[in-house]
Amino acid sequence: MFPPTSLLTTLLLALSIAASPVEVRNSPVTLPIVRKLNVSDGTINLLKRDKSYVVAIQERSFSALDRRDDSVPVTNDAAVGSYIVQVGIGRPATTYNLVVDTSSSNTWIGASTPYVKTSTSVNTGQLVSFGYGSGAFFGTEYTDAFTLSDGLIITDQSIGVSSPSMAFGFAGVDGILGLGPVALTEGTLNNQPVTQIPTVTENLYNQNIISQNVVGISFDPITSLTGTNGELTFGGTNPAKYTGSIAYTPITATFPATFYAGINGSITYGTTTLLSAAGIVNTRTALIYVATDVFTEYQSATCSTLDEATGLLRITSTQYSALKNLNFEIGSSTYALTPNGQIWPRSLNTYIGGSSSAIYLIINDIGLPSGQGIDFILGYTFLERFYSVFDTTNSRVGFATTKYTNATTN
């Protein structure tokens, strides 16, 4: 933890009590992230995993209605096609590789590396579980020291402790780092259906390690199997990772998107409006998902065909030349996904089960018609073009352009 008398901490605390929402820049909790693609995990499997998680988001939201009676190194793990963060738990710390998930909030371990108990480990005696569509875990709640970087330790952090036999769909990783709203933890302690569990970000804030409950996320496009391509920043943003200023929009009131990093927005292809509705921002899904009727319109407008080998839309070089921007109008700003930003990196085609000469689109079908309350999901292929900020303190989500927004790397 940073000394409370340090100049930086004093400045951040002063900013946090300002009368209007402020942006904390140069957060002290910022470290690089790395992404790698597992060549043994084909796109069709990634698509199936993505879609099963999309279904879980939708089903979890409806069950929620029933219940109403700083930065760390990250890699894109092959086994699940998601970004992975390394953390330490216990003192001395054991290192665990956790999936970064903004659409769930429980943090848990044990899918691969066994939990090593130390003097800081406390068994609360509570059973904890959660389902993700593409996987699930069952285990026991502990509190323990939680290390994000050298010398940066959260005390008494709640974690779920599972085992390989009780964690399903997480081969190759150790568990989840839940960065979503704390309300998503409600009901995960099996005998306490209305209890909420403080998240890692909340405890960073509550223990005065960061001055605001904010996470900034930077993902850069990647065209090779491995490479450093971004960062997580807890407590603020890193101006070096974006251009211009961050534009914020309030969390939507639309159910069920309001349970997540939900936003209102419109989607246009060229000048044709395809959708005006609520959706969510999600680091866990790879692709961009839109409601079925919108997907059909997009497919027609791009003259694309469904590729059986990958499950993605495929276009010809001539059709690529005719592609128009896919615009996301969020708040008062428009974020244009260029033609190059709408396609999977061609240098990685063979690693996802596709043809090296093909052009695949990253827009896919959410599986339900529009009007369901989550009509689009912006996965990490969107976030690789735009910097994102999840600001729980002020109930808002922010975006900014980056030097890769108009890149032609794909």
Side-chain angles (χ1 to χ4, degrees):
M1 182 181 299
F2 293 91
T5 57
S6 70
L7 178 61
L8 179 58
T9 302
T10 302
L11 173 60
L12 294 179
L13 289 175
L15 286 170
S16 71
I17 59 175
S20 58
V22 295
E23 181 180 308
V24 180
R25 299 165 73 88
N26 298 318
S27 165
V29 192
T30 299
L31 292 174
I33 43 182
V34 178
R35 179 184 154 198
K36 66 179 180 179
L37 181 68
N38 185 342
V39 298
S40 65
D41 187 23
T43 295
I44 192 67
N45 294 328
L46 178 62
L47 185 63
K48 288 179 179 178
R49 195 274 310 180
D50 255 15
K51 287 198 171 184
S52 65
Y53 191 58
V54 168
V55 171
I57 288 174
Q58 294 161 338
E59 291 180 347
R60 191 187 319 152
S61 299
F62 287 109
S63 65
L65 177 64
D66 297 334
R67 289 199 303 269
R68 293 202 292 179
D69 286 87
D70 329 335
S71 305
V72 224
V74 176
T75 63
N76 183 9
D77 182 80
V80 292
S82 298
Y83 278 89
I84 308 301
V85 60
Q86 273 197 345
V87 304
I89 297 177
R91 298 190 74 175
T94 299
T95 300
Y96 300 91
N97 298 304
L98 307 182
V99 176
V100 175
D101 190 355
T102 55
S103 290
S104 71
S105 301
N106 291 79
T107 293
W108 63 272
I109 62 172
S112 296
T113 305
Y115 179 45
V116 178
K117 300 174 187 177
T118 67
S119 61
T120 57
S121 307
V122 177
N123 186 339
T124 70
Q126 299 292 327
L127 298 179
V128 60
S129 61
F130 198 80
Y132 300 90
S134 57
F137 86 95
F138 303 86
T140 302
E141 185 194 33
Y142 280 74
T143 61
D144 210 335
F146 195 92
T147 303
L148 288 173
S149 64
D150 290 342
L152 180 57
I153 300 173
I154 307 168
T155 59
D156 302 321
Q157 173 61 47
S158 171
I159 57 170
V161 175
S162 188
S163 64
S165 63
M166 299 301 290
F168 310 99
F170 291 93
V173 297
D174 294 316
I176 292 281
L177 173 67
L179 297 180
V182 67
L184 292 176
T185 67
E186 187 174 304
T188 59
L189 290 178
N190 291 6
N191 62 346
Q192 297 186 29
V194 297
T195 297
Q196 296 181 352
I197 303 170
T199 65
V200 166
T201 314
E202 274 203 318
N203 276 336
L204 281 169
Y205 174 69
N206 291 336
Q207 295 178 26
N208 295 319
I209 300 172
I210 58 177
S211 65
Q212 291 195 75
N213 192 339
V214 172
V215 180
I217 298 181
S218 169
F219 296 150
D220 301 339
I222 187 170
T223 56
S224 59
L225 293 182
T226 61
T228 301
N229 72 317
E231 68 180 21
L232 292 177
T233 300
F234 291 95
T237 66
N238 183 355
K241 294 297 183 179
Y242 57 89
T243 57
S245 59
I246 297 171
Y248 291 94
T249 189
I251 295 294
T252 182
T254 300
F255 175 84
T258 189
F259 285 105
Y260 301 92
I263 56 176
N264 295 322
S266 297
I267 303 176
T268 62
Y269 178 73
T271 59
T272 303
T273 299
L274 303 179
L275 177 71
S276 183
I280 67 172
V281 188
N282 182 25
T283 60
R284 183 79 185 282
T285 48
L287 306 178
I288 297 171
Y289 290 89
V290 294
T292 300
D293 47 311
V294 179
F295 176 74
T296 300
E297 288 189 66
Y298 176 77
Q299 180 178 1
S300 176
T302 58
C303 300
S304 53
T305 58
L306 192 63
D307 181 70
E308 292 186 3
T310 63
L312 303 182
L313 293 177
R314 179 173 175 170
I315 56 175
T316 65
S317 296
T318 300
Q319 290 164 344
Y320 173 70
S321 299
L323 270 186
K324 301 175 182 178
N325 285 351
L326 187 65
N327 301 304
F328 296 83
E329 298 172 11
I330 301 168
S332 58
S333 300
T334 299
Y335 304 94
L337 201 62
T338 64
N340 192 263
Q342 294 172 56
I343 67 172
W344 181 260
R346 282 173 278 188
S347 61
L348 299 178
N349 278 358
T350 57
Y351 297 113
I352 58 153
S355 167
S356 61
S357 60
I359 303 175
Y360 301 106
L361 298 172
I362 59 170
I363 315 302
N364 216 280
D365 184 4
I366 206 170
L368 290 173
S370 57
Q372 305 301 310
I374 298 180
D375 289 343
F376 62 87
I377 297 176
L378 304 181
Y380 65 70
T381 45
F382 177 88
L383 301 178
E384 287 174 345
R385 297 286 174 149
F386 300 99
Y387 191 87
S388 58
V389 184
F390 301 83
D391 184 352
T392 300
T393 296
N394 300 300
S395 299
R396 60 184 184 170
V397 176
F399 298 100
T401 56
T402 75
K403 64 181 180 180
Y404 297 106
T405 295
N406 298 314
T408 57
T409 54
N410 292 343

